[in-house]
Amino acid sequence: SQELEQSPQSLIVQEGKNLTINCTSSKTLYGLYWYKQKYGEGLIFLMMLQKGGEEKSHEKITAKLDEKKQQSSLHITASQPSHAGIYLCGADRPGTYKYIFGTGTRLKVLA
Amino acid sequence: EPEVTQTPSHQVTQMGQEVILRCVPISNHLYFYWYRQILGQKVEFLVSFYNNEISEKSEIFDDQFSVERPDGSNFTLKIRSTKLEDSAMYFCASSGGGPTEAFFGQGTRLTVV
């Protein structure tokens, strides 16, 4: 079965710094989704990537999909305390009706 | 902005009791899902539901679990006889077409004592 590994598992950065979170799949990626979760709360959809090389941005968050490496990266520019939370990548596979989720990256931004 | 809503936000139940977790998906969505997250662990798929039947289910979704869309708007997850290990956050999600861009509710925290 497909596994998604995220790195790093946790990250503490000073406000204003840039950071990158990676999500690597053990199998071919067809659709990759990024969600953010505040601890103990729901999942907030951030972005969906479907094509190799695709890059999307929302405010200060940019995500890219590298199909060849079976990897996606999420980059936050000039981080703010509001960016703190758990970032989850999710993937689906054609013919299935589910996501699997990555292990999560816990981000803390120090003011 | 349309959203998925779940009730209750927190439920405490005694082991062996039945619980029903409720969800109101986004109104024009066709696919519905339940996921769970044991504290500190991964979000795990339980079941997907389309056209009034289960599309797919995981090995976690055993005979103790059932789903229903009783009235065209609500989507429920029933656990017949809760166990301690069922304690988790349960998320409902819905999407317009397949698992793409699923929107998640805020979750119901189930505590089995």
Side-chain angles (χ1 to χ4, degrees), chain B residues 35-106:
Chain B
Y35 288 78
R36 80 169 185 193
Q37 185 181 35
I38 295 170
L39 191 62
Q41 297 186 24
K42 275 188 188 184
V43 176
E44 301 173 292
F45 169 79
L46 291 178
V47 66
S48 59
F49 192 84
Y50 169 72
N51 201 25
N52 286 320
E53 58 183 31
I54 291 174
S55 309
E56 192 165 355
K57 59 182 180 179
S58 71
E59 59 275 9
I60 303 168
F61 194 88
D62 62 21
D63 293 343
Q64 294 296 315
F65 291 89
S66 62
V67 289
E68 197 175 38
R69 194 141 191 262
D71 56 13
S73 61
N74 291 285
F75 179 51
T76 61
L77 175 71
K78 183 193 289 186
I79 309 175
R80 283 187 189 70
S81 177
T82 49
K83 305 188 268 286
L84 294 176
E85 54 266 36
D86 293 328
S87 295
M89 183 78 104
Y90 287 80
F91 293 109
C92 172
S94 71
S95 67
T100 57
E101 205 169 346
F103 291 87
F104 284 75
Q106 287 300 302

